[in-house]
Amino acid sequence: VPEALEEIRAGNASSGRKLVVLDDDPTGTQTVHGVPVLTTWSVEDLTWALTQPSSTFYVLTNSRSIPEDEAVSMNREIAFNLSAAAETTGTQFVAASRSDSTLRGHYPAETDALQESLGGLFDGVILCPCYLEAGRLTIEDIHWMRQDGSLVPAGETEFARDASFGYSSSNLRDWVEEKTGGRVPASEVVSVVLAEIRSGGPQHVAEVLRGVSGGCPVVVNAVTYADLEVFVLGLLAAEE
């Protein structure tokens, strides 16, 4: 889509919403510039961040380094404080829980905690672990990682054998079933297919997302930034 980034920026600006990124590891904040980064999250801190001119800000939780129960409590605290700060400032926001493109992190514990603490009224949870520069791509719902010049399914890499966050599934729909202990079957996970992103454009993406409800996980397939831009345009349209 020509000038997709300009459309995305304009859509974000016109909505007046803030994008709040809860970052579970310090590497995420190293990929951005020109945005506030908080390392504490009192109501006062979050109120300040919501009133800054930047359309986004990061909250560095470093939650990947702590036990799951502590991560859940932390996310709940941030969500409650964020809601209070948003009410004080009259600001709307959308939350992104940034984890690892190698699928290591407290999923679904952290996103569950956010949904519950922010009111539990979310239609869907977007799963987009792509990190294109590192060769971490999602094609036909399978998450791939580039190693030694070849693409390897994520479940066959050393990351899948992580002592704390290990997994066996490379297909993200199966991965959701695995990580949720069967609470969300793979058959119920919605997939935004790469071929349909490229042939149907933002209109098709929006149509798919408008059919999502009940906090359903949604897998995003993407190989290029152009794919992600089309998806985001569709997401903004569906939210609107």
Side-chain angles (χ1 to χ4, degrees), residues 9-240:
R9 293 188 182 110
N12 287 332
S14 65
S15 73
R17 296 183 309 176
K18 297 286 187 179
L19 172 61
V20 184
V21 183
L22 277 60
D23 193 351
D24 76 345
D25 184 82
T27 55
T29 58
Q30 297 170 22
T31 66
V32 297
H33 64 87
V35 300
V37 177
L38 302 182
T39 56
T40 55
W41 42 83
S42 68
V43 175
E44 182 181 6
D45 295 329
L46 294 166
T47 298
W48 174 84
L50 288 170
T51 58
Q52 298 308 297
S54 173
S55 63
T56 184
F57 65 90
Y58 274 57
V59 179
L60 176 56
T61 68
N62 201 28
S63 59
R64 204 185 310 167
S65 66
I66 61 178
E68 183 174 290
D69 58 342
E70 294 181 27
V72 167
S73 296
M74 178 187 294
N75 275 263
R76 286 176 176 160
E77 178 185 359
I78 294 171
F80 286 133
N81 290 353
L82 184 57
S83 295
E87 185 174 354
T88 298
T89 60
T91 307
Q92 293 185 324
F93 65 89
V94 59
S97 182
R98 197 206 78 89
S99 193
D100 188 25
S101 62
T102 65
L103 307 181
R104 295 173 299 166
H106 295 297
Y107 177 84
E110 290 193 291
T111 52
D112 284 350
L114 289 174
Q115 287 191 87
E116 294 164 5
S117 303
L118 293 175
L121 300 176
F122 293 90
D123 292 313
V125 177
I126 306 300
L127 298 177
C128 186
C130 295
Y131 179 16
L132 304 182
E133 289 82 358
R136 293 160 192 172
L137 321 168
T138 306
I139 307 168
E140 295 184 350
D141 298 334
I142 296 175
H143 196 51
W144 298 84
M145 300 182 192
R146 187 174 62 236
Q147 295 184 340
D148 299 324
S150 300
L151 288 176
V152 180
E156 299 176 15
T157 67
E158 68 273 18
F159 302 109
R161 297 186 290 275
D162 186 276
S164 299
F165 303 111
Y167 55 91
S168 61
S169 303
S170 300
N171 185 300
L172 290 179
R173 297 171 72 183
D174 295 332
W175 181 80
V176 168
E177 180 173 324
E178 178 181 348
K179 299 301 283 188
T180 62
R183 186 190 78 200
V184 182
S187 59
E188 294 183 5
V189 178
V190 173
S191 173
V192 183
V193 181
L194 190 60
E196 295 176 350
I197 287 176
R198 295 182 173 186
S199 63
Q203 295 82 4
H204 172 77
V205 173
E207 182 179 353
V208 171
L209 294 179
R210 283 197 297 267
V212 174
S213 63
C216 179
V218 179
V219 171
V220 181
N221 287 273
V223 177
T224 69
Y225 277 111
D227 299 324
L228 293 175
E229 290 163 4
V230 169
F231 175 82
V232 171
L233 285 171
L235 173 62
L236 293 176
E239 290 178 332
E240 181 67 23

